[in-house]
Amino acid sequence: MIARRLLQIALTLAILSFCAFALIALMPGDPIEVAIAGDPRLTAEDAARLRALHGLDRPFLERYLAWASGLVRGEFGYSRLFAQPVASLLLPALRSTLVLAGTALLIALVLGVALGALAASRPRTAPAVDAVAVMGQAMPTFWLGILLIIAFAVTLGWLPAGGSAEHGLGLAYLVLPLATLAVAHLAAYARHSAASLEATLTEPWIRTARARGAPERVVLWRHAFPNAALPVLQIAALDAGALAGGALVTETVFARPGMGKLLYDAVMGNDTNLALVALLLVALVTMLATLAADVAQRLLDPRLAER
Amino acid sequence: MTRLAAGLAILGALALAAAAAPLVAAMLGHDPFAPDLLARFEPPSATHPLGTDDLGRDILLRLLHGARVSLAVGLAAALAATVIGTAAGLFAAWRGGVADALVMRIADFMLALPALPLLVLLAAADPSRIGLPARGEAAGDVLRIVVILALFGWIGVARLARAAALSTFARDHVRAARALGASEARILLRHVLPALAAPVAVATALAVAGAILAESTLSFLGLGISPPAPSWGNMLANAQELVFSAPWAAVWPGLAIMLTVAGCTLVADGVRRRPGTR
């Protein structure tokens, strides 16, 4: 199964790289046009010479193949915007995003399941949890980010409004982005775990456990939860992939370096090579995370592996 | 049913407010597009019920005009996604075999990719190179965003429509119609399509919510509806720059987005929970 999935991932990346490369050809201004805009002394001959030098006068397919074969050989090229090799930009950005997104996913999962369990075990709290979850899902991430900045950075002045630490972990810089990203995902977990637990709590073996005199806490976590966890894990598996790309908005709002911000800056700055490589890397991480989550799910539930 | 009613009430109220925008503008006597530099950053008052922004424009009026843009984009994108998705799902279930595999592989391909980074890249592409209106023109912006969002939105609808269609094709009344010699077109339109109404309605409501969130995100990032035309997303982009001088400007557009999306979610939930709907 894993070998087939890896093959699928490679194929998907190949198709995506071609589509994205074709799309970039539609982005405003090729690098030479940008250079001309920046330096009016460049003549038409200069432009033609530069185009020939960088191979921009060659046909599209030839350009794509040259670029793609470079990627396969591990030559990611240079970033025009940052004047650095793309590879040296990607790794720190990826690490920063994985720290942010991974922690946020964990927080969202724990708090979401706790909220869902509360709603399922104390039916009187269910409408409140449901309302919170619906609002949480409806709230645009960037709005929540702005509200948190206004509350904790502007009004109270407890935390920085954005950016990242020069040295070390920079926990203070991590709090608001983490809260933003976690709340955005928490709602879905709360709703699904509540629904799943409510359904599981009506099963006969739960009645048996209660009749046997098991305390309600044991019934909920020991008997109901492991069975109710599967749909929640499925959502988490989907989210694990979405988090790397989904951090784009949070990173932009808080001016926090990361894959999403890098991609956004590259797109806005007409840095086509960086944008393409960043997109492919985010896609690769997304698909690998989804694959890892699927494998984990099969390990937890042997019934899935049989299919 | 209460969820459905609540959702429809919220969406109806928002649509009414959007429709009444010119009326409110006439009542207050402001122009939502014209800067008034003598009235910058005014707190809420009788003449400016929600205050003014950094250019002295009335926030309430911009909010209402933004509602027209955001709702129109969300509805148009969701409708396009619904039509394409229903057709693709129905076609896949009807033909089966290679056609089915092809449609579902395309859907899987797009679902496997990171949606937001792709949306950003697509939205940044220059449509004037292929003869469409350039970015920054109001009508062109709306069309561009609708097309991009429909491109991603059809998948969810197609999967739901396909699943519902597959189970309907196996039902006795469809097999009976076929045995009686009904034409394929009649079977599709008369016997299968109506059975898709409820799941497609759910998918459409969710698609509207998704489209409005995505539009506001793109506009917030400066890749969607460009100012001076107001949209809830670009109002929030403006508001983020003003968190120190006019923090109240950030409250309303976000609240409007949240209400709209919550309304759509409630409608979807309501339809799904109706008796007889799976």
Side-chain angles (χ1 to χ4, degrees):
Chain A
M1 192 266 303
I2 294 181
R4 223 192 70 210
R5 286 284 294 273
L6 286 177
L7 200 69
Q8 270 177 9
I9 289 178
L11 189 67
T12 310
L13 280 182
I15 299 174
L16 175 67
S17 72
F18 183 79
C19 296
F21 195 85
L23 180 76
I24 291 282
L26 291 176
M27 289 241 280
D30 75 3
I32 309 303
E33 277 172 39
V34 177
I36 293 173
D39 185 354
R41 284 170 305 166
L42 283 178
T43 61
E45 291 97 71
D46 289 335
R49 198 167 46 77
L50 280 171
R51 284 214 168 82
L53 181 68
H54 292 290
L56 285 167
D57 55 348
R58 277 182 282 160
F60 169 77
L61 208 61
E62 199 177 315
R63 263 160 46 205
Y64 169 71
L65 287 177
W67 174 75
S69 67
L71 284 190
V72 173
R73 275 178 278 131
E75 291 163 15
F76 297 130
Y78 281 84
S79 154
R80 221 165 41 73
L81 193 64
F82 296 94
Q84 277 182 45
V86 166
S88 71
L89 289 166
L90 290 178
L91 288 182
L94 185 61
R95 210 190 50 185
S96 167
T97 295
L98 289 182
V99 167
L100 174 66
T103 320
L105 180 64
L106 211 63
I107 295 175
L109 200 54
V110 170
L111 287 184
V113 168
L115 268 181
L118 179 72
S121 60
R122 307 251 190 293
R124 276 167 63 192
T125 63
V129 170
D130 194 41
V132 169
V134 168
M135 285 200 298
Q137 267 185 320
M139 196 183 262
T141 321
F142 53 93
W143 184 50
L144 179 62
I146 297 173
L147 291 186
L148 287 177
I149 289 177
I150 291 176
F152 292 100
V154 178
T155 311
L156 296 171
W158 290 350
L159 293 163
S164 64
E166 303 259 322
H167 311 284
L169 250 178
L171 273 182
Y173 293 93
L174 202 56
V175 176
L176 291 185
L178 261 186
T180 307
L181 204 51
V183 169
H185 286 270
L186 184 158
Y189 297 134
R191 294 187 80 184
H192 281 98
S193 57
S196 177
L197 272 172
E198 271 161 22
T200 312
L201 282 172
T202 62
E203 299 277 354
W205 76 79
I206 298 292
R207 213 180 323 137
T208 311
R210 280 189 180 135
R212 194 165 54 81
E216 199 54 28
R217 185 173 46 80
V218 173
V219 169
L220 183 67
W221 294 111
R222 187 94 193 82
H223 295 266
F225 181 69
N227 291 287
L230 281 176
V232 181
L233 276 178
Q234 243 155 23
I235 311 288
L238 284 175
D239 267 3
L243 269 173
L248 189 150
V249 174
T250 311
E251 285 168 358
T252 310
V253 170
F254 291 100
R256 184 185 163 75
M259 281 312 291
K261 178 117 177 39
L262 194 65
L263 183 85
Y264 177 66
D265 289 344
V267 166
M268 297 309 268
N270 280 324
D271 191 344
T272 51
N273 187 42
L274 180 59
L276 280 177
V277 179
L279 176 72
L280 288 178
L281 184 63
V282 170
L284 176 66
V285 171
T286 300
M287 289 187 285
L288 286 180
T290 314
L291 175 60
D294 283 355
V295 170
Q297 222 178 317
R298 273 158 205 264
L299 290 178
L300 287 172
D301 184 8
R303 283 173 302 176
L304 285 173
E306 285 163 18
R307 277 188 225 151
Chain B
M1 280 312 274
T2 50
R3 274 172 185 261
L4 186 57
L8 287 176
I10 292 176
L11 294 182
L14 281 162
L16 267 183
L23 211 67
V24 180
M27 262 167 56
L28 292 172
H30 309 304
D31 179 344
F33 304 101
D36 178 3
L37 295 179
L38 293 175
R40 298 173 72 211
F41 299 131
E42 277 194 19
S45 66
T47 45
H48 295 289
L50 299 180
T52 59
D53 65 7
D54 54 329
L55 296 176
R57 299 171 298 192
D58 186 83
I59 291 181
L60 175 66
L61 286 183
R62 287 188 68 74
L63 198 64
L64 294 179
H65 277 273
R68 306 181 130 202
V69 176
S70 295
L71 290 179
V73 170
L75 281 178
L79 272 181
T82 301
V83 171
I84 301 172
T86 310
L90 190 56
F91 179 74
W94 176 52
R95 298 301 300 180
V98 180
D100 187 21
L102 189 68
V103 171
M104 292 336 279
R105 282 302 83 74
I106 296 175
D108 286 346
F109 170 71
M110 295 195 64
L111 278 183
L113 298 174
L116 193 58
L118 259 184
L119 276 178
V120 166
L121 207 69
L122 274 175
D126 184 3
S128 65
R129 291 241 176 141
I130 46 173
L132 295 171
R135 226 166 78 204
E137 290 167 27
D141 270 347
V142 169
L143 183 70
R144 191 170 50 88
I145 296 303
V146 166
V147 169
I148 292 174
L149 294 183
L151 204 63
F152 279 82
W154 69 272
I155 301 167
V157 185
R159 288 162 72 99
L160 277 175
R162 173 178 172 272
L166 275 179
S167 75
T168 312
F169 273 118
R171 290 245 193 113
D172 286 341
H173 72 272
V174 175
R175 294 169 58 198
R178 198 160 268 157
L180 285 170
S183 71
E184 286 298 306
R186 187 178 161 80
I187 290 176
L188 281 180
L189 296 178
R190 190 89 182 80
H191 296 287
V192 179
L193 199 58
L196 304 187
V200 166
V202 172
T204 306
L206 294 178
V208 174
I212 285 178
L213 271 180
E215 180 274 318
S216 68
T217 304
L218 287 178
S219 297
F220 173 74
L221 293 172
L223 293 164
I225 310 297
S226 319
S231 101
W232 291 335
N234 71 31
M235 286 177 74
L236 279 171
N238 193 28
Q240 195 191 359
E241 291 166 17
L242 307 175
V243 283
F244 290 98
S245 41
W248 63 84
V251 173
W252 303 107
L255 213 54
I257 299 171
M258 193 171 92
L259 260 183
T260 316
V261 175
C264 295
T265 317
L266 287 175
V267 169
D269 274 4
V271 175
R272 195 185 286 140
R273 290 185 190 191
R274 247 170 28 159
T277 317
R278 274 159 307 144

